[in-house]
């Protein structure tokens, strides 16, 4: 279990022990990586620090990714303390709840900008700052959702954001390929997290999911963590610009009616 031995992973997006970023941090630590964590704001520190202690992580820094100043400060600290980064994980998204309640057509300019800034642009901003710290063989990962590829009720502006995020992955992969840096996304099936609780109708969708998917199994943060370990490891050295689905096969289906209704 040492696919990431000798590598350092800087992971953005742990809010609590349900966060996908936490599943990734735990899995990468289990494979020998040194972990550094960044969380959004002061209020989360009391949740994130105790988690960090369990994986011997002593770089735990705040960074609101909508602020260039906070990103700058974070990377000054990362440069001083970590020296280099082999893995950058972006597991961050935000949209106003009111923009997910009604129809997509109602989305206002400020809500659109907010979702795109926090959920999409931040990947590019973090990648640019991380670049001087990354050697050939390094890897960048983000987390997306199927609503970026197909229209999903209520996902609204976040679906548009995920589409743009997946396009960013392709453009960053093209840019950074000659630096020997790979950029990929994991498209996760529904997982009960803080962010998911903000999606109207999520609970119902979550319940139906296992009845529909080929594997009939729900997705855990450990499943995403395992896929992230592989993508960040040298085992995936020729994979870049990809979206890897960890969704029990949901995305391959053409008809999504639960079996008992067919
Ligand atoms: P989560 O709430 O645990 O994680 C979201 C993280 O984004 C939090 O840590 C939050 O603090 C952070 N964040 C929000 N605004 C920020 C800002 N301005 N600056 C810095 N950080 C900020 O929920 P999660 O489900 O683990 O979400 C992680 C990623 O996974 C998101 O991109 C989400 O869209 C994606 N995703 C989630 C699911 C799911 O079902 N939970 C499915 C597919 C994709």
């Amino acid at each position: 279990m040492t696919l990431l031995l000798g590598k350092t992973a800087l992971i953005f997006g742990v809010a609590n022990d349900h966060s996908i970023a936490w599943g990734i941090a735990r899995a990468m630590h289990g494979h020998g990586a040194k972990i550094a964590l960044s969380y959004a704001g002061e209020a989360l520190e009391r949740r994130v620090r105790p988690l960090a202690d369990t994986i011997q992580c002593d770089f735990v820094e705040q960074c609101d990714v909508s602020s260039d100043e906070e990103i700058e400060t974070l990377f000054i600290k990362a440069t001083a303390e970590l020296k280099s980064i082999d893995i950058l994980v972006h597991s961050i998204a935000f949209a106003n709840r009111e923009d997910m309640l009604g129809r997509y057509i109602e989305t206002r300019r400020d809500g659109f900008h907010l979702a795109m800034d926090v959920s999409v642009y931040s990947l590019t901003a973090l990648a640019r700052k991380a670049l001087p710290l990354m050697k050939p063989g390094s890897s960048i990962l983000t987390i997306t959702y199927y609503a970026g590829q197909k229209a999903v009720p209520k996902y609204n502006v976040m679906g548009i954001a995920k589409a743009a995020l997946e396009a960013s992955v392709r453009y960053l992969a093209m840019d950074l390929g000659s630096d020997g840096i790979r950029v990929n996304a994991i498209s996760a099936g529904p997982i009960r997290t803080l962010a998911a609780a903000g999606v109207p109708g999520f609970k119902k969708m979550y319940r139906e999911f296992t009845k529909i998917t080929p594997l009939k199994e729900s997705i855990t943060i450990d499943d995403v963590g395992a896929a992230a370990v592989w993508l960040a490891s040298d085992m995936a050295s020729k994979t870049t610009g990809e979206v890897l689905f960890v969704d029990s096969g949901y995305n391959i289906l053409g008809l999504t009616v639960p079996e008992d209704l067919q």
Side-chain angles (χ1 to χ4, degrees):
M1 301 287 270
T2 52
L3 284 177
L4 304 180
L5 201 61
K7 293 188 190 284
T8 298
L10 175 55
I11 301 177
F12 290 78
V14 176
N16 56 38
D17 60 349
H18 299 286
S19 293
I20 291 174
W22 176 241
I24 294 172
R26 217 169 36 191
M28 289 187 169
H29 171 73
H31 273 271
K34 175 181 168 181
I35 306 297
L37 296 177
S38 176
Y39 56 93
E42 223 178 295
L44 293 176
E45 188 176 356
R46 66 186 173 85
R47 291 227 173 83
V48 178
R49 277 201 187 272
L51 291 174
D53 289 343
T54 67
I55 55 168
Q56 294 81 50
C57 160
D58 47 21
F59 185 97
V60 186
E61 295 292 339
Q62 178 184 325
C63 177
D64 177 341
V65 296
S66 64
S67 157
D68 284 336
E69 291 71 32
E70 291 201 19
I71 292 176
E72 178 75 32
T73 305
L74 184 283
F75 276 96
I76 289 171
K77 287 180 185 162
T79 306
E81 291 180 37
L82 304 173
K83 318 282 188 228
S84 66
I85 299 168
D86 305 280
I87 303 164
L88 174 72
V89 177
H90 171 277
S91 184
I92 289 174
F94 187 80
N96 287 327
R97 189 169 159 81
E98 66 256 31
D99 289 325
M100 303 180 82
L101 283 172
R103 299 196 298 166
Y104 169 65
I105 199 169
E106 311 294 347
T107 311
R108 296 228 307 268
R109 195 181 297 272
D110 56 349
F112 190 95
H113 284 171
L114 177 67
M116 295 297 275
D117 186 30
V118 175
S119 318
V120 185
Y121 177 70
S122 58
L123 174 66
T124 301
L126 296 182
R128 192 168 57 248
K129 284 291 177 189
L131 191 55
L133 300 181
M134 299 185 102
K135 301 184 293 287
S138 299
S139 148
I140 299 175
L141 272 179
T142 188
I143 311 297
T144 185
Y145 178 56
Y146 190 47
Q149 302 193 358
K150 301 286 178 194
V152 172
K154 304 295 179 205
Y155 222 71
N156 296 1
V157 69
M158 191 51 79
I160 312 299
K162 292 304 190 193
L165 182 70
E166 292 178 18
S168 298
V169 164
R170 290 185 285 273
Y171 277 85
L172 289 170
M174 188 171 65
D175 277 357
L176 303 186
S178 53
D179 297 294
I181 297 171
R182 298 178 297 106
V183 187
N184 291 289
I186 292 174
S187 186
I191 303 176
R192 296 177 80 160
T193 63
L194 212 56
V199 180
F202 178 84
K203 268 194 193 155
K204 196 171 172 201
M205 195 248 281
Y206 183 84
R207 277 199 305 270
E208 297 302 308
F209 182 79
T210 48
K211 296 184 197 160
I212 295 167
T213 55
L215 292 177
K216 309 277 182 254
E217 288 200 72
S218 55
I219 311 303
T220 68
I221 60 172
D222 298 326
D223 296 325
V224 180
V229 165
W230 175 73
L231 272 175
S233 77
D234 298 341
M235 303 274 282
S237 64
K238 299 289 156 39
T239 299
T240 194
E242 279 298 327
V243 176
L244 175 69
F245 283 90
V246 178
D247 68 345
S248 283
Y250 181 89
N251 75 95
I252 65 156
L253 296 174
L255 182 66
T256 52
V257 178
E259 219 167 54
D260 52 1
L261 298 180
Q262 283 173 27

